[in-house]
Amino acid sequence: MISYISIVGAELGTEKGNHLIEGLLAAIPAKKHYTGKMLGICFFIAFQLVLYAVFGLVGLVGFLLLRHSTFVKSLHLNDYLAKIDPQYLWISLILALLSLFLYISLAAYLVSLVSRAEDIGQATSGVTSILLIPYFINFLTQSNPNLLVVKILSYLPFMSQDIMPVRMAQGAASYSAGYVAVAISLLSAVLMYLFAQRTYVNNIFTYRSETPLKYLTNKLLRRN
C-alpha cells in the first residue's frame, strides 16, 4: 500500500512540481490526463495482484501434490483451511481492494495540492500515517469486537478493511454486515475518486507556498 501511494505521488506530483504539466495539458485535457494516470496505476496494481494469484495457485498445487507427505501433515494445514469460509475470503478481499483504491485516491487528492516537488513526500506521508490507525485498532478489536466504537469503525471507509474481517472471524459481525461495509466502501471509493479528480483539475495550475497539509489546516481554520 505504501509503495502504491508513493507511485501516485511520483506520477501526479512530480509533473506539477517541475512545471512539466503545462506542456502536457496543451495536448490533453486535465481530466483525461488524471484518468489516464489513475488507470495506469490501477493496471500496474492489477498486474501485481495477478502475479500474487499465480504464486498462490502454484502454492496450492504444491500443497495438493504433497498433502500426504509427513512434513505437510505436521503443519496441520488441512485443519486451518477447513475453517476458512470462501465467503469470508471474498468479503475480506473486496474490502482490501476498495480500501487500496480509497487510499490511492486520497493520495491523489493531497498530491493535487502540491506546488513543489519537495512537498510530495509530506503529502504521501500523511496518507501512510492514516494506514496505521486501523492497524492499531485491530488490537482493540481482537479483545473487544463488540465495543461500540469498534462497531462503528468497522463500517467506515479507510477502516473497515482491517476491522470488519476481524469482527467476522470472531463471530461478532455477520456476513451481511460485511456486505454493508463493502457497499459503503464502494460508494466512498467512487466519491473519493470524483473528489480527487475535481481537486486535481481545479488546482492543476495553482501554485502556492504552503504545503498541502498546512493549506488544508489553514482552510479548515478559516471556515471555523
Side-chain angles (χ1 to χ4, degrees), residues 15 45 47 55 66 111 118 120 126 146 160 164 179 204 215:
E15 292 174 349
I45 294 173
F47 176 73
F55 293 146
L66 301 174
V111 171
E118 53 266 29
I120 296 175
N146 289 315
S160 58
M164 182 57 77
Y179 284 118
I204 195 66
Y215 166 75

Side-chain angles (χ1 to χ4, degrees), residues 115-185:
S115 298
R116 301 174 300 178
E118 53 266 29
D119 292 334
I120 296 175
Q122 186 185 69
T124 55
S125 63
V127 183
T128 55
S129 298
I130 299 176
L131 281 170
L132 299 176
I133 298 176
Y135 172 76
F136 287 114
I137 293 177
N138 255 342
F139 294 104
L140 178 63
T141 306
Q142 293 172 13
S143 57
N144 298 282
N146 289 315
L147 198 65
L148 179 60
V149 65
V150 171
K151 286 183 179 180
I152 296 173
L153 291 176
S154 66
Y155 290 96
L156 296 183
F158 298 102
M159 301 289 167
S160 58
Q161 77 280 353
D162 285 331
I163 301 174
M164 182 57 77
V166 175
R167 294 191 68 230
M168 289 191 303
Q170 294 187 340
S174 63
Y175 290 147
S176 299
Y179 284 118
V180 171
V182 168
I184 294 174
S185 292

Side-chain angles (χ1 to χ4, degrees), residues 195-210:
F195 180 62
Q197 182 188 65
R198 181 181 177 183
T199 303
Y200 181 82
V201 173
N202 292 340
N203 290 271
I204 195 66
F205 294 120
T206 302
Y207 295 92
R208 55 179 66 91
S209 58
E210 300 170 306

Side-chain angles (χ1 to χ4, degrees), residues 12 21 25 35 50 58 63 122 206:
L12 297 180
I21 196 66
L25 295 188
T35 302
V50 169
V58 171
F63 167 73
Q122 186 185 69
T206 302

Side-chain angles (χ1 to χ4, degrees), residues 9-57:
E11 289 293 325
L12 297 180
T14 304
E15 292 174 349
K16 183 180 178 182
N18 294 331
H19 297 272
L20 301 174
I21 196 66
E22 289 88 346
L24 292 172
L25 295 188
I28 185 173
K31 185 178 291 187
K32 288 186 177 181
H33 180 264
Y34 175 84
T35 302
K37 286 288 187 180
M38 294 300 287
L39 281 175
I41 294 170
C42 289
F43 284 139
F44 172 73
I45 294 173
F47 176 73
Q48 287 198 331
L49 293 177
V50 169
L51 287 181
Y52 295 150
V54 170
F55 293 146
L57 183 61

